Amino acid sequence: METESSLDAAAAARHARFGRLPERIQFHEMVEEKVAEPNASGIASYNPEGSWNHFSCLALDLGL
């Protein structure tokens, strides 16, 4: 009898702690909006002198 009451107490404690699901998070709470910079196109412009380091070349890796 004593083990049954301890199991019931443990089950009641588990149900009190985990008996319901957490509250649902709304989509607008998960999204952060930022204002884009108006001159962001200048940052991503093409630089022909610096573009060589973005590609892998076996001859350059071997020092040929």
Side-chain angles (χ1 to χ4, degrees):
M1 278 303 213
E2 188 174 317
T3 57
E4 265 187 44
S5 63
S6 65
L7 288 178
D8 292 339
R14 276 193 309 275
H15 183 64
R17 185 172 179 189
F18 305 110
R20 60 186 170 88
L21 294 174
E23 297 296 324
R24 189 172 185 93
I25 299 173
Q26 298 296 321
F27 180 74
H28 68 274
E29 295 173 352
M30 295 186 284
V31 177
E32 179 182 356
E33 294 182 4
K34 288 184 163 181
V35 178
E37 294 183 23
N39 58 356
S41 62
I43 296 170
S45 63
Y46 176 70
N47 180 7
E49 294 175 357
S51 66
W52 66 269
N53 60 359
H54 295 288
F55 301 102
S56 177
C57 178
L58 182 60
L60 286 175
D61 290 342
L62 295 176
L64 300 176

